[in-house]
């Protein structure tokens, strides 16, 4: 197992180098000039040229790449051309928001989707199956921003149960900053009002994300359980008189979880990089909106930083997945041990 | 209570508030996300549309009994400041440098923290609950005590007000003002603007004594134009002492390196009614009122400006009362939803904002005047105003908008007349054509206008391809003047036809420098603008402007679309809103009237 992890970790730098190069090249090829962005639309040519020089954009691309990677090694992602703020600070302020929302939404989605899918698979065409199908159809067919808007409309505008969609907490009730995670910070600073406020603000966006997660997880879990349930080794286990609980846990679930875990990995990676719409609908100040704006402006430094951070997150997620895989499936473990 | 009365008395005295009833007040409007063009707008407008406002003159009412018990306030100065005003906005400010910001939000955040040398005179309209500062009004000194025009406009002498204190606690001196203006010759978009005032070198701005400085333009500049330039929010005075303390000097000098560009972006270094309490990027910024603000204590203690990117959310927040004021609401929602909500007030004011489509005269067959005229007859003018603006606007009938001095719609012959368009096509010798229009993918107005044009143009055999672009692609093509067609908007910060036409109709000295966007060049127009710009005779100025307008309209290098209204949606209990025609919010007079 350790070897497997080490082997995977060894691949990380290679992948990162490729990502850094790609990010650099793509942003440089696309139209758009950070100096123009920085100097403003109506700046005179002299001002733009001076800005280009001060940003090092008048250097050849390989020199720029060298300076850029040199800065990266020191943890400096450069600066946002529009605001002049450090991209590292920008990301630092935003990633806790995204991670907090993603994790809560993801776990909530799993908590709903997994049992639904498993029950549906075990008792196909039963009531669980119908419930699962409903969730799946709703979750897959409705665009996520639309679900978010509907939730806001009913629970905030019509019923008045939900707090106003103003981001991570109601205005004026934010917890003091410790880690950037509001729920955690309000616990650490023993601030129940902030905790309650953050939790309330988190509920609707988390439900929206959860729906996005629950639907595919439930569908995959159902079909996978259904398939495994009809395998001969399961019939064999049941015929041998093993208790149902044991058969379920050791034969059915363990085997059925493999495709589900794969799906979870894909979903989590997708959410970290891409719940832009949910963030915009709920005014959630996370990475998604930041990346979106930067891409729209083709502002080199933030886009590249976003690509790198997302790639790192996905690498880490797939590493964890591989470990879970190996634990679930001995074949992976042995294959890893052999070489 | 005496304190409150004093406060009101002081305020009234300092502001010399006059009452003015104005009738024009209106409907509602959601500001279409003004683009950069709108920012760079100049100011000024006069008024056909404002004819409805009648000044009753009159002296300040004095500290009449706003004795707390009275239910009909006699003044819009509250007895106690409102603790917090919540404003929701589309996006956050880019930064706080008054010489180089490039977003509406940056502009707004800056001007609330930084006083300018002069400002529009504003007047109180108690019945409407707002202050009004029309472009037709006077420009009055703010940080200045007075200005003198010498040598018939060849030299300006300014005296600064005594006793102004910056947010940092430093007193404002002539050195601060001189450094700020000299910085303007070098930074961001300012050189372009100051160049219009014939100021291109630092040594044209000189200190005379402890309270006085002079500006010597390279040639005469009419007072209306020079003071108009100074009236822009860009003349916010920077705190030079504070900057020097925080920014290392350039090698071999005592001056902050590179005009302290990087530092000033992040640190609002000026003096005004508010100071920045906190800025959480992507989330919100909070302004704290300065109780010691020299002019008067603000009517509220704090303003929270919250980023809520989804416009539908902003509509709901305003509707439910969780926000007091909202930026950039969709006109459809304003008209069909908010206008009927109790507790929400929607007002629309005519604006000098111009929206038009520059036709790139270097692209065939747009180089053909007849063809351009044919297109002008194929624009569904009224449909666009009804369907895109939801009625919140008026047709644009000249490059100089209605509301700007010398506006002349008489040359505008175009109407939606497809037969006329077809016959002009025949005259042009163009049978069929394919054109493309570039739209910013995220700007609804662009997309909708393009679709209406596409449908109408099809009728005369012109296929219009809609080319959706990200902002970066759009802007870089715009900078290279490569768009065949695009939707542009513009509010001139100086409400002067020559300021306006210099940007929008004069041959660009170099592609990308100016704002014609369409490579249009007409030597006669250039000559008229050059002659009129620094002309001091008002009659001549007006005549030459009208002549230039006629040529631009005849040559049809624009598709003239509309002047969208300035739409403001606010909670009805939010009083003291100040209507400035630059369409920016000034927060310091706003308060919530608990009795309303």
């Amino acid at each position: 197992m350790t070897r497997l992890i080490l082997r995977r970790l060894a691949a990380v730098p290679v992948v990162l180098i490729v990502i850094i190069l790609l990010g650099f090249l793509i942003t440089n090829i696309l139209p758009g000039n950070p100096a123009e962005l920085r100097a403003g639309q109506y700046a005179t040519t002299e001002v733009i040229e001076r800005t280009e020089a001060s940003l090092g954009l008048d250097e050849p691309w390989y020199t720029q790449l060298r300076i850029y990677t040199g800065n990266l090694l020191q943890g400096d992602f450069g600066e946002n051309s529009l605001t002049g703020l450090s991209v590292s600070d920008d990301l630092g302020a935003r990633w806790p928001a995204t991670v907090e929302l993603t994790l809560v939404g993801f776990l909530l989605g799993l908590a709903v989707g997994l049992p639904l899918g498993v029950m549906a698979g075990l008792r196909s065409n039963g009531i669980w199956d119908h419930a699962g199908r409903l969730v799946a159809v709703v979750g897959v067919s409705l665009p996520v921003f639309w679900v978010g808007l509907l939730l806001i409309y009913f629970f905030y505008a019509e019923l008045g149960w939900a707090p106003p969609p103003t981001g991570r907490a109601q205005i004026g009730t934010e917890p003091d900053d410790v880690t950037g995670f509001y729920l955690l910070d309000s616990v650490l600073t023993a601030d129940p009002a902030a905790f309650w406020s953050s939790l309330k603000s988190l509920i609707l966006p988390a439900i929206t994300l959860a729906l996005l997660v629950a639907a595919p997880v439930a569908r995959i879990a159902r079909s996978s359980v259904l398939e495994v349930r009809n395998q001969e080794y399961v019939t064999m286990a049941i015929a041998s008189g093993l208790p149902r609980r044991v058969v379920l846990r050791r034969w059915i679930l363990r085997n059925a979880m493999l495709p589900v875990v794969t799906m979870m990995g894909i979903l989590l990676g997708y959410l970290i990089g891409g719940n832009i719409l949910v963030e915009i609908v709920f005014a959630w100040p996370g990475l998604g909106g930041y990346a979106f704006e930067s891409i729209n402006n083709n502002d080199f430094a933030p886009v590249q930083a976003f690509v790198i951070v997302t790639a790192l997150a996905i690498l880490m997620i797939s590493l964890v997945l591989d470990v879970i895989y190996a634990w679930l499936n001995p074949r992976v473990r042995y294959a890893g041990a052999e070489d | 209570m005496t304190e409150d009365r004093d406060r009101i008395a002081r305020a009234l005295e300092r502001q010399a508030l006059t009452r003015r009833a104005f009738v024009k007040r209106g409907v509602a409007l959601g500001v279409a996300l003004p683009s950069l063009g709108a920012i760079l707008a100049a100011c000024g407008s006069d008024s056909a549309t404002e004819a409805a406002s009648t000044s009753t003159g009159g002296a300040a009412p004095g500290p009449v009994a706003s004795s707390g018990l009275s239910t009909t306030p006699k003044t819009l100065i509250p007895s106690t400041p409102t603790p917090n005003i919540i404003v929701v906005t589309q996006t956050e400010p880019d930064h706080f440098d008054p010489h180089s910001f490039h977003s509406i939000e940056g502009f707004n955040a800056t001007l609330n923290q930084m006083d300018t040398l002069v400002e529009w005179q504003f007047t109180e309209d108690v019945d409407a609950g707002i202050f009004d500062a029309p472009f037709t009004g006077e420009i009055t000194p703010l940080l200045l005590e007075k200005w003198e025009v010498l040598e018939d406009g060849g030299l300006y002498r300014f005296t600064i007000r005594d006793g102004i204190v910056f947010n940092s606690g430093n007193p404002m001196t002539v050195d601060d003002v001189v450094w700020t203006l000299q910085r303007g010759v070098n930074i961001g978009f300012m050189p372009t603007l100051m160049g219009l005032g014939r100021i291109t070198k630092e040594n044209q701005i000189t200190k005379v004594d402890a309270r006085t400085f002079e500006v010597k333009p390279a040639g005469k500049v009419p007072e209306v134009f020079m003071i108009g330039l100074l009236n822009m929010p860009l003349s916010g005075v920077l705190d030079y002492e504070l900057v020097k303390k925080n920014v290392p000097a350039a090698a071999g000098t005592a001056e902050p390196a590179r005009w302290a560009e990087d530092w000033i972006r992040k640190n609002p270094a000026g003096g005004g009614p508010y100071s920045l309490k906190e800025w959480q990027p992507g989330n919100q910024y909070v302004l704290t009122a300065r109780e010691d603000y020299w002019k008067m204590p603000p009517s509220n203690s704090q303003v929270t400006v919250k980023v809520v990117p989804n416009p539908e959310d902003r509509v709901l927040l305003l509707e439910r009362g969780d926000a007091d004021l909202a930026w950039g609401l969709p006109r459809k929602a304003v008209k069909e939803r908010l206008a009927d909500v109790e507790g929400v007030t929607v007002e629309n004011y005519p604006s000098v904002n111009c929206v038009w489509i520059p036709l790139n005269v270097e692209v065939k067959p747009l180089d053909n005047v007849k063809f351009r005229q044919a297109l002008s007859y194929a624009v569904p003018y009224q449909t666009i105003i009804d369907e895109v603006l939801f009625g919140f606007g008026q047709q644009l009938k000249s490059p100089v908008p209605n509301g700007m001095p010398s506006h002349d719609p008489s040359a505008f012959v175009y109407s939606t007349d497809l037969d006329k368009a077809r016959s002009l096509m025949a005259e042009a010798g163009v049978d069929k054509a394919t054109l493309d229009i570039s739209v910013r993918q995220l700007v609804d107005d662009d997309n909708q206008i393009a679709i209406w044009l596409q449908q109408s143009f099809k009728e005369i055999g012109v296929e219009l391809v809609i080319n959706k672009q990200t902002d970066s692609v759009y802007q870089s093509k715009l900078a290279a003047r490569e768009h065949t067609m695009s939707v542009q908007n513009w509010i001139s910060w100086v409400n002067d036809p020559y300021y306006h036409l210099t940007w929008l109709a004069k041959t660009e000295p170099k592609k990308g420098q100016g704002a014609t966007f369409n490579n249009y060049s007409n030597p006669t127009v250039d000559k008229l603008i050059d002659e009129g710009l620094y002309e001091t005779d008002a009659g001549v100025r007006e005549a030459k402007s009208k002549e230039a307008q006629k040529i631009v309209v005849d040559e049809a290098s624009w598709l003239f679309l509309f002047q969208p209204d300035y739409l403001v949606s606010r909670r009805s209990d939010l009083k003291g809103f100040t209507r400035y025609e630059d369409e920016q919010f000034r927060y310091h007079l706003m308060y919530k009237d608990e009795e309303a």
Side-chain angles (χ1 to χ4, degrees), chain B residues 274-293:
Chain B
Y274 293 92
S275 59
L276 186 67
K277 183 177 168 200
E278 61 163 351
W279 180 14
Q280 300 171 14
N283 187 8
Q284 64 179 24
Y285 66 95
V286 180
L287 299 171
T288 303
R290 276 181 67 193
E291 299 219 333
D292 63 342
Y293 179 50

Side-chain angles (χ1 to χ4, degrees), chain B residues 97-390:
Chain B
D97 187 337
H99 295 159
S100 67
F101 59 77
H102 20 50
S103 70
I104 292 287
E105 289 76 13
F107 183 4
N108 204 250
T110 305
L111 65 87
N112 277 292
Q113 298 175 65
M114 212 172 279
D115 280 334
T116 49
L117 292 171
V118 295
E119 69 171 356
W120 292 108
Q121 173 74 54
F122 56 91
T123 51
E124 192 182 25
D125 180 351
V126 175
D127 296 332
I130 70 165
F131 293 90
D132 194 27
F135 279 175
T136 43
E138 296 277 299
I139 293 177
T140 57
L142 184 63
L143 290 179
L144 290 181
E145 194 176 276
K146 61 173 181 179
W147 68 79
E148 295 158 81
V149 187
L150 306 173
E151 299 172 15
D152 195 21
L155 179 68
Y156 285 80
R157 183 176 299 147
F158 301 93
T159 308
I160 63 167
R161 202 181 279 269
D162 210 9
I164 304 285
V165 176
F166 284 120
N167 290 2
S168 65
N170 293 336
M172 182 185 83
T173 66
V174 162
D175 295 325
D176 295 310
V177 185
V178 168
W179 185 74
T180 302
L181 291 176
Q182 288 180 339
R183 185 176 187 269
V185 178
N186 292 281
I187 295 296
F189 47 70
M190 280 299 276
T192 316
L193 293 171
M194 295 188 67
L196 287 175
R198 299 180 159 184
I199 308 163
T200 51
K201 297 198 178 69
E202 288 161 35
N203 63 14
Q204 288 176 265
I205 303 144
T206 48
K207 175 178 174 177
V208 176
D209 60 39
R211 302 260 313 273
T212 323
F213 69 98
E214 285 180 348
V215 172
K216 183 158 184 55
K220 287 179 187 173
V221 175
E223 181 181 7
V224 52
F225 194 74
M226 178 61 87
I227 302 304
L229 279 173
L230 280 189
N231 190 24
M232 290 192 234
L234 338 164
S235 69
V237 174
L238 293 160
D239 184 344
Y240 182 40
E241 284 305 314
L242 181 72
V243 173
K244 270 199 292 193
K245 206 184 297 170
N246 285 282
V247 181
T253 70
E255 297 298 317
R258 293 183 52 229
W259 298 97
E261 231 184 325
D262 292 332
W263 191 80
I264 291 175
R265 285 172 164 253
K266 296 167 212 172
N267 300 278
Y274 293 92
S275 59
L276 186 67
K277 183 177 168 200
E278 61 163 351
W279 180 14
Q280 300 171 14
N283 187 8
Q284 64 179 24
Y285 66 95
V286 180
L287 299 171
T288 303
R290 276 181 67 193
E291 299 219 333
D292 63 342
Y293 179 50
W294 66 274
K295 205 158 87 176
M296 56 182 291
S299 298
N300 53 69
S301 316
Q302 180 174 297
V303 176
T304 303
V305 183
K306 180 94 199 170
V307 179
V308 178
N310 179 20
E312 306 300 333
D313 285 352
R314 297 198 294 275
V315 170
L316 293 177
L317 287 166
L318 192 65
E319 183 180 322
R320 300 268 311 173
D322 287 312
D324 300 310
L325 186 62
W327 277 91
L329 301 183
R331 298 186 189 91
K332 183 178 165 69
V334 170
K335 176 145 192 166
E336 293 174 1
R337 190 170 173 105
L338 280 184
D340 302 328
V341 172
E342 196 164 327
V344 173
T345 298
V346 170
E347 287 152 321
N348 65 328
Y349 307 102
S351 163
V352 288
N353 193 356
C354 301
V355 176
W356 79 102
I357 294 180
L359 301 174
N360 193 334
V361 297
E362 287 182 358
V363 174
K364 286 191 186 297
L366 289 174
D367 55 342
N368 186 327
V369 181
K370 294 281 179 200
F371 179 67
R372 297 199 300 262
Q373 289 170 340
L375 292 184
S376 298
Y377 278 104
V379 176
Y381 296 103
Q382 194 56 43
T383 311
I384 289 178
I385 289 174
D386 293 342
E387 302 293 330
V388 179
L389 293 187
F390 289 84

Side-chain angles (χ1 to χ4, degrees), chain B residues 520 522 524-525 528 547-556:
Chain B
Y520 176 72
N522 182 315
T524 317
V525 172
L528 287 166
E547 209 182 323
Q549 291 174 57
K550 181 164 176 8
I551 298 172
V552 175
V553 170
D554 285 347
E555 294 207 319

